[in-house]
Structure formats: structure tokens, C-alpha cells
Amino acid sequence: MRILVTGGAGFIGGHLAESFLRDGHEVTVLDSLEPFYAEGIKQHTLNVHRQVAAKTDVEYRFVEGDVRDIETVQNVVRGADIVVHQAAQAGVRESVDNPRKVTDINIDGTVNLLEAAKEADVERVIIASSSSVYGKPQSLPYKEDHPTEPVSPYGVTKLTQEHMARVYTELHGLPTVCLRYFTVYGPRMRPNMAISNFVSRCVNGEPPVIYGNGQQTRDFTYVADVVDANRTLLESDAADGDVVNIGSSDNISIQALAETVRDQLAPELEIEYESAREADAEYTHASVEKAGELIGYEPSRTIVEGVSEFIEWYQANREWYEPLVRS
């Protein structure tokens, strides 16, 4: 199978491309290498891809380009069987500071991709959406029919992606699936996320810093579970035209998360607190019942198990990863 992964040098896209290569698929990665975080992490990911491709003797191609460039998008989509669309301007706070940029990349870039996929008659487009589409909870855990009232420009762009995908399915018969990810973490994760930040500080004898009172809760999803969901959708049409939560069905307060990391690495440290950041969700918690019914999805780790696994990975990869996290 020939698979295009947009944003394939990033955290989630990088793991997806690596997994597809290990499975023997031909993979093209499109990524602009946007310096939203340390580019060295993306370069490490691309090196992993090349190593895996060499070992498995499968075709791999990296294209440095932007989803906002229509011609580039058309060229990489042409010939693909499946498009896995991970490219986006990430970051809730980044979207508050620069809403035009997040709109251009996440909405216009997605329209470019859907148009190209329609013209190329691809088998399926799998789109990375986000729990940010929900906004303020009326009930928890979030089910897919929960009202969507995002509280950040980022969340609005993700919800717009979903509507665009649905329209292309209904109007043009283009099979699309939107996966609502709940705060994904794991090896090579973005350095500005709570888990990587807590671990980095504790490893270096610095107290973890919580923004707000720590009572906010999150449903963190281990990246291997996201990979499994996408791998299933390469072959399954059970979720075509639909949106599906991908979470852990578990949740934890930021306070408890910081304590979990601190207690494992540096129990003598006192947690510090700073002012809450605007547009951050107060609570997230996924119902994954629909994902289980449609594609057999089942989270593989509790949050505490996954965090412990990430800490082990961090310590084993500290030499190259930590300088990039702390830069």
C-alpha cells in the first residue's frame, strides 16, 4: 500500500510513518519542518524513518513542503492509496497569539489536501482532529455527539476540518475519517507538553511547574494507541464519514500527574504554581465506546503506566533528546 503522511516528521505523524514502514508499506512524508519546536527532534525522526526503510527494503520518500502549497500537495497525493493527514499548526496558545496562521495551515491546507485526494481518487483520508473541538464540558466523558463549542482558534480549525471532511464524503464520495485525539504523549513528544516538561525538570532537580491550581484533568493518550487506530483504518471502512474519539478512557489531574512524575524521579522537590494559561481546556475525558465498536479500539495503557514508560524512554534517550527539550 502507498501511504502519504502529512506532518510525518512531527510527533504523531513520525510514529505513524515509522509503523507503516515496519509493516512494509511504501511511505511518503510531507512536512514543512516548521520550527514550532526544536527541529532536531524532527530530524531524528526522519533518520529513524530512513533506517527502518533500509532495514525493511521498502520505498520511502521525504518531501519538504507545505500543505498550503497546492501544487506540492497535488504532487504528493498523486499515486497514494491512503492519505493520513497529521499536518497542522499545533498549540492552543499559539493559535490565540496567531489565529491567522493556524487558520491558513489547518483549514486552507486541509481543503488543498481534500481537493487533491478527490482528484486522485484515493481510497481514504484519515484526518487528525482533536478533543479541543468539544470546549466546555456539559457532561463527561465526552461522547462524539457532545456539543462542540471550542474555546480556542485551534479548536475551531479542527472542527472546521471535520465539517470539510464530512462534506467531501457526502458530496464527492471521498471516504474520510476524523480521529479526535486526546492529548497524545510518548517517545519523541513535543517538549512543551506537561509530561515532557515535568520529566525534564525533575530529572534536572528542578521543581515541576503547574499553570493554575492543578485541579484541571486530562485524558492523556499513549502514542502507540493512536498508531494502532490509524493502522486499523488503513483497511477498514467501518468509520468512513464519521468522527471517532481516540483517548485512554482514563484521566488524571495535572496535580496528580506532576506528583506521579515527581515521586518517581525526585520526591524531595516541591511543586510550584503559576497563573493559568488562557484557552486551556479545564477538563478532558474521552468515551472510546464508539471507537471500540467500529474499529475494535482498546487503550493499551493507563496514564500512570504510560507515564512510567515515557520516563524510562526519556532516561534512555536523554543524551540527544534532553538538549532539544530544554533549548
Side-chain angles (χ1 to χ4, degrees):
M1 185 176 288
R2 296 165 298 180
I3 305 172
L4 167 66
V5 183
T6 70
F11 167 43
I12 300 173
H15 280 277
L16 290 169
E18 179 185 348
S19 175
F20 298 154
L21 287 166
R22 292 188 187 280
D23 288 342
H25 299 295
E26 297 179 15
V27 175
T28 296
V29 162
L30 174 68
D31 201 293
S32 67
L33 301 180
E34 165 75 25
F36 178 57
Y37 58 90
E39 187 178 324
I41 298 177
K42 290 189 174 184
Q43 292 296 343
H44 182 90
T45 295
L46 294 176
N47 287 336
V48 169
H49 292 169
R50 296 183 185 105
Q51 292 166 6
V52 173
K55 289 180 180 178
T56 55
D57 194 28
V58 296
E59 185 175 336
Y60 170 73
R61 179 172 62 132
F62 169 66
V63 177
E64 184 174 352
D66 197 306
V67 290
R68 292 173 290 183
D69 186 304
I70 295 174
E71 184 175 351
T72 296
V73 171
Q74 289 173 333
N75 287 338
V76 293
V77 169
R78 193 176 299 119
D81 299 311
I82 301 285
V83 174
V84 181
H85 182 38
Q86 306 293 308
Q89 176 58 62
V92 167
R93 287 179 292 279
E94 177 76 8
S95 77
V96 173
D97 294 337
N98 198 343
R100 287 188 177 87
K101 182 179 180 183
V102 75
T103 299
D104 288 346
I105 296 174
N106 295 4
I107 297 177
D108 293 351
T110 298
V111 172
N112 289 342
L113 191 82
L114 290 168
E115 272 292 298
K118 178 192 72 174
E119 293 168 6
D121 197 28
V122 303
E123 295 177 16
R124 181 168 299 106
V125 179
I126 306 167
I127 296 177
S129 186
S130 166
S131 60
S132 295
V133 303
Y134 289 114
K136 296 179 180 179
Q138 295 185 12
S139 61
L140 290 172
Y142 287 121
K143 293 186 177 182
E144 287 83 354
D145 59 359
H146 185 284
T148 47
E149 297 179 352
V151 295
S152 67
Y154 174 77
V156 170
T157 65
K158 285 297 181 179
L159 184 58
T160 303
Q161 284 183 332
E162 293 183 1
H163 285 305
M164 279 294 183
R166 174 183 54 79
V167 166
Y168 271 77
T169 296
E170 293 178 357
L171 284 182
H172 305 299
L174 175 67
T176 64
V177 183
C178 294
L179 300 180
R180 291 175 176 169
Y181 298 153
F182 281 69
T183 315
V184 185
Y185 71 101
R188 303 196 302 264
M189 69 185 294
R190 275 171 35 205
N192 60 345
M193 304 294 285
I195 293 173
S196 52
N197 189 271
F198 290 162
V199 172
S200 174
R201 291 183 67 85
C202 288
V203 163
N204 287 280
E206 301 169 5
V209 177
I210 291 175
Y211 295 93
N213 61 15
Q215 298 312 300
Q216 317 95 301
T217 61
R218 292 287 182 275
D219 188 328
F220 291 97
T221 312
Y222 200 75
V223 67
D225 293 333
V226 170
V227 169
D228 285 345
N230 279 271
R231 289 175 70 233
T232 299
L233 288 168
L234 297 181
E235 305 286 351
S236 173
D237 62 1
D240 283 357
D242 217 335
V243 295
V244 182
N245 288 340
I246 301 297
S248 70
S249 73
D250 189 11
N251 72 343
I252 190 171
S253 71
I254 299 300
Q255 178 75 33
L257 175 65
E259 291 172 353
T260 297
V261 173
R262 187 269 315 271
D263 292 349
Q264 186 165 337
L265 292 172
E268 73 282 0
L269 295 175
E270 293 291 334
I271 295 170
E272 295 182 356
Y273 301 84
E274 293 188 7
S275 299
R277 293 173 169 174
E278 61 181 341
D280 277 351
E282 192 168 2
Y283 306 106
T284 66
H285 188 192
S287 166
V288 296
E289 182 179 350
K290 183 176 180 179
E293 292 174 352
L294 290 179
I295 60 172
Y297 174 77
E298 186 174 348
S300 62
R301 298 158 176 84
T302 67
I303 293 170
V304 171
E305 290 169 344
V307 168
S308 294
E309 195 167 326
F310 173 71
I311 289 172
E312 291 179 8
W313 177 88
Y314 186 105
Q315 292 172 320
N317 292 270
R318 185 177 178 185
E319 183 176 353
W320 73 267
Y321 181 68
E322 186 172 278
L324 300 174
V325 170
R326 298 178 66 81
S327 61

mmCIF file of all heavy atoms in Angstrom, residues 171-216:
data_model
loop_
_atom_site.group_PDB
_atom_site.id
_atom_site.type_symbol
_atom_site.label_atom_id
_atom_site.label_comp_id
_atom_site.label_asym_id
_atom_site.label_seq_id
_atom_site.Cartn_x
_atom_site.Cartn_y
_atom_site.Cartn_z
ATOM 1 N N LEU A 171 -20.578 14.914 -0.623
ATOM 2 C CA LEU A 171 -20.732 15.491 -1.964
ATOM 3 C C LEU A 171 -19.980 14.714 -3.036
ATOM 4 O O LEU A 171 -20.460 14.570 -4.161
ATOM 5 C CB LEU A 171 -20.236 16.938 -1.971
ATOM 6 C CG LEU A 171 -21.128 17.996 -1.347
ATOM 7 C CD1 LEU A 171 -20.487 19.377 -1.506
ATOM 8 C CD2 LEU A 171 -22.520 18.011 -1.985
ATOM 9 N N HIS A 172 -18.808 14.217 -2.680
ATOM 10 C CA HIS A 172 -17.910 13.660 -3.693
ATOM 11 C C HIS A 172 -17.629 12.176 -3.500
ATOM 12 O O HIS A 172 -16.893 11.592 -4.313
ATOM 13 C CB HIS A 172 -16.585 14.430 -3.693
ATOM 14 C CG HIS A 172 -16.748 15.911 -3.871
ATOM 15 N ND1 HIS A 172 -17.318 16.471 -4.993
ATOM 16 C CD2 HIS A 172 -16.441 16.954 -3.035
ATOM 17 C CE1 HIS A 172 -17.337 17.790 -4.876
ATOM 18 N NE2 HIS A 172 -16.823 18.112 -3.695
ATOM 19 N N GLY A 173 -18.148 11.584 -2.420
ATOM 20 C CA GLY A 173 -17.909 10.171 -2.193
ATOM 21 C C GLY A 173 -16.487 9.853 -1.786
ATOM 22 O O GLY A 173 -16.035 8.703 -1.933
ATOM 23 N N LEU A 174 -15.765 10.852 -1.266
ATOM 24 C CA LEU A 174 -14.397 10.630 -0.814
ATOM 25 C C LEU A 174 -14.432 10.072 0.606
ATOM 26 O O LEU A 174 -14.880 10.756 1.535
ATOM 27 C CB LEU A 174 -13.610 11.948 -0.831
ATOM 28 C CG LEU A 174 -12.186 11.892 -0.263
ATOM 29 C CD1 LEU A 174 -11.288 11.020 -1.150
ATOM 30 C CD2 LEU A 174 -11.606 13.303 -0.131
ATOM 31 N N PRO A 175 -13.981 8.847 0.827
ATOM 32 C CA PRO A 175 -14.005 8.289 2.187
ATOM 33 C C PRO A 175 -13.065 9.062 3.119
ATOM 34 O O PRO A 175 -11.873 9.207 2.823
ATOM 35 C CB PRO A 175 -13.532 6.848 1.998
ATOM 36 C CG PRO A 175 -13.791 6.547 0.546
ATOM 37 C CD PRO A 175 -13.523 7.845 -0.154
ATOM 38 N N THR A 176 -13.601 9.581 4.202
ATOM 39 C CA THR A 176 -12.801 10.303 5.192
ATOM 40 C C THR A 176 -13.170 9.830 6.595
ATOM 41 O O THR A 176 -14.308 9.436 6.850
ATOM 42 C CB THR A 176 -13.029 11.826 5.127
ATOM 43 O OG1 THR A 176 -14.389 12.123 5.472
ATOM 44 C CG2 THR A 176 -12.732 12.385 3.739
ATOM 45 N N VAL A 177 -12.195 9.876 7.480
ATOM 46 C CA VAL A 177 -12.415 9.581 8.904
ATOM 47 C C VAL A 177 -11.670 10.644 9.700
ATOM 48 O O VAL A 177 -10.518 10.960 9.389
ATOM 49 C CB VAL A 177 -11.877 8.194 9.308
ATOM 50 C CG1 VAL A 177 -12.205 7.908 10.775
ATOM 51 C CG2 VAL A 177 -12.435 7.111 8.409
ATOM 52 N N CYS A 178 -12.302 11.191 10.720
ATOM 53 C CA CYS A 178 -11.654 12.159 11.594
ATOM 54 C C CYS A 178 -11.503 11.551 12.986
ATOM 55 O O CYS A 178 -12.488 11.120 13.592
ATOM 56 C CB CYS A 178 -12.457 13.449 11.683
ATOM 57 S SG CYS A 178 -12.532 14.359 10.126
ATOM 58 N N LEU A 179 -10.269 11.523 13.465
ATOM 59 C CA LEU A 179 -9.968 10.954 14.773
ATOM 60 C C LEU A 179 -9.718 12.084 15.761
ATOM 61 O O LEU A 179 -8.782 12.874 15.575
ATOM 62 C CB LEU A 179 -8.743 10.044 14.688
ATOM 63 C CG LEU A 179 -8.856 8.859 13.737
ATOM 64 C CD1 LEU A 179 -7.563 8.041 13.755
ATOM 65 C CD2 LEU A 179 -10.048 7.979 14.081
ATOM 66 N N ARG A 180 -10.527 12.149 16.812
ATOM 67 C CA ARG A 180 -10.371 13.182 17.830
ATOM 68 C C ARG A 180 -9.388 12.692 18.893
ATOM 69 O O ARG A 180 -9.751 11.954 19.801
ATOM 70 C CB ARG A 180 -11.730 13.519 18.456
ATOM 71 C CG ARG A 180 -12.665 14.241 17.502
ATOM 72 C CD ARG A 180 -14.041 14.464 18.106
ATOM 73 N NE ARG A 180 -14.880 15.251 17.207
ATOM 74 C CZ ARG A 180 -16.187 15.432 17.350
ATOM 75 N NH1 ARG A 180 -16.820 14.867 18.388
ATOM 76 N NH2 ARG A 180 -16.864 16.161 16.486
ATOM 77 N N TYR A 181 -8.134 13.120 18.757
ATOM 78 C CA TYR A 181 -7.093 12.706 19.688
ATOM 79 C C TYR A 181 -7.223 13.465 21.008
ATOM 80 O O TYR A 181 -7.504 14.663 21.027
ATOM 81 C CB TYR A 181 -5.707 13.011 19.121
ATOM 82 C CG TYR A 181 -5.340 12.313 17.843
ATOM 83 C CD1 TYR A 181 -4.414 12.889 16.975
ATOM 84 C CD2 TYR A 181 -5.879 11.089 17.484
ATOM 85 C CE1 TYR A 181 -4.040 12.260 15.798
ATOM 86 C CE2 TYR A 181 -5.521 10.458 16.313
ATOM 87 C CZ TYR A 181 -4.593 11.051 15.466
ATOM 88 O OH TYR A 181 -4.231 10.431 14.301
ATOM 89 N N PHE A 182 -6.956 12.755 22.093
ATOM 90 C CA PHE A 182 -6.951 13.355 23.421
ATOM 91 C C PHE A 182 -5.512 13.393 23.942
ATOM 92 O O PHE A 182 -4.964 12.368 24.340
ATOM 93 C CB PHE A 182 -7.851 12.560 24.376
ATOM 94 C CG PHE A 182 -9.322 12.855 24.219
ATOM 95 C CD1 PHE A 182 -9.997 12.461 23.079
ATOM 96 C CD2 PHE A 182 -10.021 13.528 25.204
ATOM 97 C CE1 PHE A 182 -11.353 12.728 22.922
ATOM 98 C CE2 PHE A 182 -11.375 13.803 25.065
ATOM 99 C CZ PHE A 182 -12.048 13.415 23.919
ATOM 100 N N THR A 183 -4.868 14.540 23.882
ATOM 101 C CA THR A 183 -3.536 14.836 24.424
ATOM 102 C C THR A 183 -2.592 13.632 24.328
ATOM 103 O O THR A 183 -2.423 12.873 25.279
ATOM 104 C CB THR A 183 -3.615 15.318 25.883
ATOM 105 O OG1 THR A 183 -4.665 16.274 26.028
ATOM 106 C CG2 THR A 183 -2.292 15.993 26.267
ATOM 107 N N VAL A 184 -1.994 13.492 23.177
ATOM 108 C CA VAL A 184 -1.145 12.343 22.892
ATOM 109 C C VAL A 184 0.262 12.576 23.464
ATOM 110 O O VAL A 184 0.799 13.685 23.408
ATOM 111 C CB VAL A 184 -1.078 12.091 21.381
ATOM 112 C CG1 VAL A 184 -0.300 10.807 21.079
ATOM 113 C CG2 VAL A 184 -2.495 12.008 20.796
ATOM 114 N N TYR A 185 0.850 11.520 24.007
ATOM 115 C CA TYR A 185 2.194 11.614 24.589
ATOM 116 C C TYR A 185 2.960 10.333 24.311
ATOM 117 O O TYR A 185 2.382 9.306 23.938
ATOM 118 C CB TYR A 185 2.121 11.860 26.102
ATOM 119 C CG TYR A 185 1.637 10.665 26.897
ATOM 120 C CD1 TYR A 185 2.533 9.855 27.585
ATOM 121 C CD2 TYR A 185 0.288 10.322 26.941
ATOM 122 C CE1 TYR A 185 2.094 8.743 28.301
ATOM 123 C CE2 TYR A 185 -0.160 9.225 27.646
ATOM 124 C CZ TYR A 185 0.743 8.437 28.326
ATOM 125 O OH TYR A 185 0.307 7.340 29.021
ATOM 126 N N GLY A 186 4.272 10.400 24.510
ATOM 127 C CA GLY A 186 5.108 9.228 24.318
ATOM 128 C C GLY A 186 6.469 9.628 23.782
ATOM 129 O O GLY A 186 6.812 10.817 23.737
ATOM 130 N N PRO A 187 7.293 8.658 23.368
ATOM 131 C CA PRO A 187 8.628 8.955 22.857
ATOM 132 C C PRO A 187 8.612 9.992 21.744
ATOM 133 O O PRO A 187 7.743 9.983 20.878
ATOM 134 C CB PRO A 187 9.100 7.590 22.327
ATOM 135 C CG PRO A 187 8.360 6.596 23.166
ATOM 136 C CD PRO A 187 7.020 7.211 23.403
ATOM 137 N N ARG A 188 9.572 10.894 21.789
ATOM 138 C CA ARG A 188 9.761 11.988 20.823
ATOM 139 C C ARG A 188 8.636 13.012 20.887
ATOM 140 O O ARG A 188 8.453 13.790 19.951
ATOM 141 C CB ARG A 188 9.933 11.465 19.388
ATOM 142 C CG ARG A 188 11.080 10.480 19.204
ATOM 143 C CD ARG A 188 11.447 10.307 17.735
ATOM 144 N NE ARG A 188 10.379 9.863 16.880
ATOM 145 C CZ ARG A 188 10.151 8.602 16.519
ATOM 146 N NH1 ARG A 188 10.939 7.635 16.981
ATOM 147 N NH2 ARG A 188 9.165 8.303 15.711
ATOM 148 N N MET A 189 7.908 13.062 22.001
ATOM 149 C CA MET A 189 6.804 14.013 22.099
ATOM 150 C C MET A 189 7.316 15.446 22.100
ATOM 151 O O MET A 189 8.479 15.717 22.386
ATOM 152 C CB MET A 189 5.981 13.744 23.359
ATOM 153 C CG MET A 189 6.677 14.059 24.664
ATOM 154 S SD MET A 189 5.687 13.569 26.104
ATOM 155 C CE MET A 189 4.304 14.697 25.966
ATOM 156 N N ARG A 190 6.405 16.370 21.776
ATOM 157 C CA ARG A 190 6.736 17.791 21.802
ATOM 158 C C ARG A 190 7.249 18.188 23.182
ATOM 159 O O ARG A 190 6.687 17.784 24.202
ATOM 160 C CB ARG A 190 5.492 18.620 21.482
ATOM 161 C CG ARG A 190 5.249 18.812 20.014
ATOM 162 C CD ARG A 190 3.920 19.446 19.711
ATOM 163 N NE ARG A 190 3.462 20.428 20.672
ATOM 164 C CZ ARG A 190 2.177 20.746 20.867
ATOM 165 N NH1 ARG A 190 1.248 20.114 20.177
ATOM 166 N NH2 ARG A 190 1.839 21.659 21.727
ATOM 167 N N PRO A 191 8.313 18.994 23.230
ATOM 168 C CA PRO A 191 8.908 19.331 24.525
ATOM 169 C C PRO A 191 8.099 20.300 25.363
ATOM 170 O O PRO A 191 8.383 20.450 26.550
ATOM 171 C CB PRO A 191 10.253 19.956 24.129
ATOM 172 C CG PRO A 191 10.046 20.459 22.740
ATOM 173 C CD PRO A 191 9.107 19.483 22.093
ATOM 174 N N ASN A 192 7.107 20.961 24.782
ATOM 175 C CA ASN A 192 6.359 21.961 25.549
ATOM 176 C C ASN A 192 5.063 21.401 26.132
ATOM 177 O O ASN A 192 4.172 22.155 26.510
ATOM 178 C CB ASN A 192 6.051 23.183 24.678
ATOM 179 C CG ASN A 192 5.223 22.836 23.441
ATOM 180 O OD1 ASN A 192 5.098 21.675 23.076
ATOM 181 N ND2 ASN A 192 4.681 23.851 22.795
ATOM 182 N N MET A 193 4.960 20.100 26.230
ATOM 183 C CA MET A 193 3.792 19.471 26.826
ATOM 184 C C MET A 193 4.039 19.209 28.307
ATOM 185 O O MET A 193 5.177 19.125 28.756
ATOM 186 C CB MET A 193 3.477 18.162 26.099
ATOM 187 C CG MET A 193 3.272 18.316 24.611
ATOM 188 S SD MET A 193 1.806 19.292 24.203
ATOM 189 C CE MET A 193 0.520 18.107 24.553
ATOM 190 N N ALA A 194 2.956 19.056 29.064
ATOM 191 C CA ALA A 194 3.085 18.939 30.520
ATOM 192 C C ALA A 194 3.973 17.769 30.926
ATOM 193 O O ALA A 194 4.861 17.915 31.779
ATOM 194 C CB ALA A 194 1.703 18.806 31.151
ATOM 195 N N ILE A 195 3.762 16.603 30.320
ATOM 196 C CA ILE A 195 4.507 15.419 30.753
ATOM 197 C C ILE A 195 5.993 15.582 30.494
ATOM 198 O O ILE A 195 6.823 15.364 31.390
ATOM 199 C CB ILE A 195 3.959 14.152 30.061
ATOM 200 C CG1 ILE A 195 2.539 13.860 30.549
ATOM 201 C CG2 ILE A 195 4.872 12.954 30.333
ATOM 202 C CD1 ILE A 195 1.851 12.737 29.810
ATOM 203 N N SER A 196 6.366 15.983 29.274
ATOM 204 C CA SER A 196 7.786 16.129 28.970
ATOM 205 C C SER A 196 8.409 17.233 29.811
ATOM 206 O O SER A 196 9.570 17.126 30.241
ATOM 207 C CB SER A 196 8.000 16.404 27.475
ATOM 208 O OG SER A 196 7.198 17.482 27.043
ATOM 209 N N ASN A 197 7.652 18.284 30.083
ATOM 210 C CA ASN A 197 8.160 19.383 30.905
ATOM 211 C C ASN A 197 8.400 18.934 32.342
ATOM 212 O O ASN A 197 9.448 19.218 32.944
ATOM 213 C CB ASN A 197 7.193 20.557 30.856
ATOM 214 C CG ASN A 197 7.752 21.795 31.511
ATOM 215 O OD1 ASN A 197 7.580 21.989 32.713
ATOM 216 N ND2 ASN A 197 8.410 22.633 30.739
ATOM 217 N N PHE A 198 7.424 18.219 32.908
ATOM 218 C CA PHE A 198 7.582 17.725 34.280
ATOM 219 C C PHE A 198 8.781 16.798 34.386
ATOM 220 O O PHE A 198 9.585 16.890 35.324
ATOM 221 C CB PHE A 198 6.323 16.983 34.732
ATOM 222 C CG PHE A 198 5.109 17.843 34.952
ATOM 223 C CD1 PHE A 198 3.845 17.275 35.004
ATOM 224 C CD2 PHE A 198 5.218 19.213 35.121
ATOM 225 C CE1 PHE A 198 2.719 18.044 35.219
ATOM 226 C CE2 PHE A 198 4.090 20.006 35.339
ATOM 227 C CZ PHE A 198 2.838 19.411 35.380
ATOM 228 N N VAL A 199 8.906 15.873 33.435
ATOM 229 C CA VAL A 199 10.005 14.902 33.483
ATOM 230 C C VAL A 199 11.344 15.618 33.357
ATOM 231 O O VAL A 199 12.278 15.363 34.134
ATOM 232 C CB VAL A 199 9.840 13.834 32.383
ATOM 233 C CG1 VAL A 199 11.083 12.945 32.311
ATOM 234 C CG2 VAL A 199 8.600 12.988 32.638
ATOM 235 N N SER A 200 11.453 16.521 32.390
ATOM 236 C CA SER A 200 12.702 17.228 32.171
ATOM 237 C C SER A 200 13.136 17.989 33.414
ATOM 238 O O SER A 200 14.308 17.936 33.827
ATOM 239 C CB SER A 200 12.561 18.196 30.995
ATOM 240 O OG SER A 200 13.710 18.988 30.855
ATOM 241 N N ARG A 201 12.208 18.681 34.044
ATOM 242 C CA ARG A 201 12.564 19.465 35.219
ATOM 243 C C ARG A 201 12.978 18.563 36.378
ATOM 244 O O ARG A 201 13.978 18.822 37.058
ATOM 245 C CB ARG A 201 11.393 20.376 35.616
ATOM 246 C CG ARG A 201 11.134 21.500 34.605
ATOM 247 C CD ARG A 201 10.014 22.426 35.076
ATOM 248 N NE ARG A 201 10.406 23.166 36.257
ATOM 249 C CZ ARG A 201 11.097 24.308 36.251
ATOM 250 N NH1 ARG A 201 11.461 24.842 35.107
ATOM 251 N NH2 ARG A 201 11.410 24.914 37.380
ATOM 252 N N CYS A 202 12.228 17.510 36.606
ATOM 253 C CA CYS A 202 12.547 16.629 37.732
ATOM 254 C C CYS A 202 13.879 15.917 37.536
ATOM 255 O O CYS A 202 14.658 15.757 38.486
ATOM 256 C CB CYS A 202 11.429 15.616 37.947
ATOM 257 S SG CYS A 202 9.909 16.326 38.627
ATOM 258 N N VAL A 203 14.164 15.473 36.324
ATOM 259 C CA VAL A 203 15.433 14.815 36.042
ATOM 260 C C VAL A 203 16.597 15.745 36.357
ATOM 261 O O VAL A 203 17.676 15.303 36.777
ATOM 262 C CB VAL A 203 15.475 14.353 34.563
ATOM 263 C CG1 VAL A 203 16.893 14.045 34.122
ATOM 264 C CG2 VAL A 203 14.603 13.119 34.367
ATOM 265 N N ASN A 204 16.371 17.043 36.165
ATOM 266 C CA ASN A 204 17.429 18.023 36.383
ATOM 267 C C ASN A 204 17.333 18.716 37.741
ATOM 268 O O ASN A 204 17.941 19.764 37.966
ATOM 269 C CB ASN A 204 17.398 19.057 35.257
ATOM 270 C CG ASN A 204 17.930 18.483 33.958
ATOM 271 O OD1 ASN A 204 19.131 18.394 33.750
ATOM 272 N ND2 ASN A 204 17.012 18.061 33.094
ATOM 273 N N GLY A 205 16.555 18.128 38.673
ATOM 274 C CA GLY A 205 16.487 18.649 40.021
ATOM 275 C C GLY A 205 15.721 19.947 40.163
ATOM 276 O O GLY A 205 15.891 20.673 41.146
ATOM 277 N N GLU A 206 14.854 20.227 39.191
ATOM 278 C CA GLU A 206 14.058 21.439 39.233
ATOM 279 C C GLU A 206 12.604 21.078 39.512
ATOM 280 O O GLU A 206 12.094 20.080 38.993
ATOM 281 C CB GLU A 206 14.157 22.190 37.899
ATOM 282 C CG GLU A 206 15.574 22.580 37.521
ATOM 283 C CD GLU A 206 15.679 23.064 36.095
ATOM 284 O OE1 GLU A 206 14.619 23.183 35.423
ATOM 285 O OE2 GLU A 206 16.810 23.319 35.629
ATOM 286 N N PRO A 207 11.897 21.866 40.317
ATOM 287 C CA PRO A 207 10.517 21.509 40.653
ATOM 288 C C PRO A 207 9.592 21.601 39.447
ATOM 289 O O PRO A 207 9.736 22.511 38.621
ATOM 290 C CB PRO A 207 10.130 22.547 41.716
ATOM 291 C CG PRO A 207 11.047 23.691 41.472
ATOM 292 C CD PRO A 207 12.337 23.103 40.986
ATOM 293 N N PRO A 208 8.645 20.668 39.302
ATOM 294 C CA PRO A 208 7.649 20.795 38.241
ATOM 295 C C PRO A 208 6.782 22.025 38.474
ATOM 296 O O PRO A 208 6.497 22.378 39.620
ATOM 297 C CB PRO A 208 6.832 19.502 38.346
ATOM 298 C CG PRO A 208 7.100 18.980 39.712
ATOM 299 C CD PRO A 208 8.446 19.470 40.130
ATOM 300 N N VAL A 209 6.396 22.685 37.386
ATOM 301 C CA VAL A 209 5.589 23.903 37.472
ATOM 302 C C VAL A 209 4.210 23.629 36.891
ATOM 303 O O VAL A 209 4.086 23.167 35.750
ATOM 304 C CB VAL A 209 6.256 25.069 36.723
ATOM 305 C CG1 VAL A 209 5.358 26.315 36.756
ATOM 306 C CG2 VAL A 209 7.613 25.377 37.321
ATOM 307 N N ILE A 210 3.180 23.909 37.682
ATOM 308 C CA ILE A 210 1.790 23.748 37.254
ATOM 309 C C ILE A 210 1.213 25.128 36.965
ATOM 310 O O ILE A 210 1.374 26.057 37.756
ATOM 311 C CB ILE A 210 0.958 23.050 38.343
ATOM 312 C CG1 ILE A 210 1.381 21.589 38.477
ATOM 313 C CG2 ILE A 210 -0.533 23.147 38.039
ATOM 314 C CD1 ILE A 210 0.691 20.846 39.607
ATOM 315 N N TYR A 211 0.541 25.260 35.834
ATOM 316 C CA TYR A 211 -0.139 26.505 35.489
ATOM 317 C C TYR A 211 -1.604 26.383 35.922
ATOM 318 O O TYR A 211 -2.355 25.588 35.368
ATOM 319 C CB TYR A 211 -0.024 26.782 33.995
ATOM 320 C CG TYR A 211 1.414 27.030 33.577
ATOM 321 C CD1 TYR A 211 2.223 25.981 33.115
ATOM 322 C CD2 TYR A 211 1.973 28.292 33.676
ATOM 323 C CE1 TYR A 211 3.542 26.197 32.765
ATOM 324 C CE2 TYR A 211 3.299 28.523 33.319
ATOM 325 C CZ TYR A 211 4.072 27.472 32.865
ATOM 326 O OH TYR A 211 5.381 27.688 32.521
ATOM 327 N N GLY A 212 -1.981 27.153 36.933
ATOM 328 C CA GLY A 212 -3.303 27.024 37.533
ATOM 329 C C GLY A 212 -3.190 26.291 38.862
ATOM 330 O O GLY A 212 -2.105 26.132 39.431
ATOM 331 N N ASN A 213 -4.336 25.788 39.338
ATOM 332 C CA ASN A 213 -4.335 25.153 40.661
ATOM 333 C C ASN A 213 -4.072 23.651 40.626
ATOM 334 O O ASN A 213 -4.041 22.994 41.666
ATOM 335 C CB ASN A 213 -5.655 25.438 41.384
ATOM 336 C CG ASN A 213 -6.867 24.891 40.630
ATOM 337 O OD1 ASN A 213 -6.725 24.075 39.723
ATOM 338 N ND2 ASN A 213 -8.049 25.354 41.005
ATOM 339 N N GLY A 214 -3.922 23.095 39.433
ATOM 340 C CA GLY A 214 -3.616 21.674 39.314
ATOM 341 C C GLY A 214 -4.825 20.768 39.333
ATOM 342 O O GLY A 214 -4.690 19.548 39.185
ATOM 343 N N GLN A 215 -6.023 21.351 39.484
ATOM 344 C CA GLN A 215 -7.223 20.516 39.530
ATOM 345 C C GLN A 215 -7.797 20.234 38.151
ATOM 346 O O GLN A 215 -8.768 19.484 38.019
ATOM 347 C CB GLN A 215 -8.281 21.183 40.430
ATOM 348 C CG GLN A 215 -7.828 21.352 41.877
ATOM 349 C CD GLN A 215 -7.232 20.081 42.456
ATOM 350 O OE1 GLN A 215 -7.901 19.046 42.517
ATOM 351 N NE2 GLN A 215 -5.959 20.136 42.877
ATOM 352 N N GLN A 216 -7.218 20.861 37.114
ATOM 353 C CA GLN A 216 -7.618 20.526 35.758
ATOM 354 C C GLN A 216 -7.343 19.042 35.509
ATOM 355 O O GLN A 216 -6.355 18.505 36.003
ATOM 356 C CB GLN A 216 -6.824 21.356 34.730
ATOM 357 C CG GLN A 216 -6.658 22.819 35.060
ATOM 358 C CD GLN A 216 -5.352 23.115 35.759
ATOM 359 O OE1 GLN A 216 -5.086 22.566 36.826
ATOM 360 N NE2 GLN A 216 -4.542 23.985 35.172
#
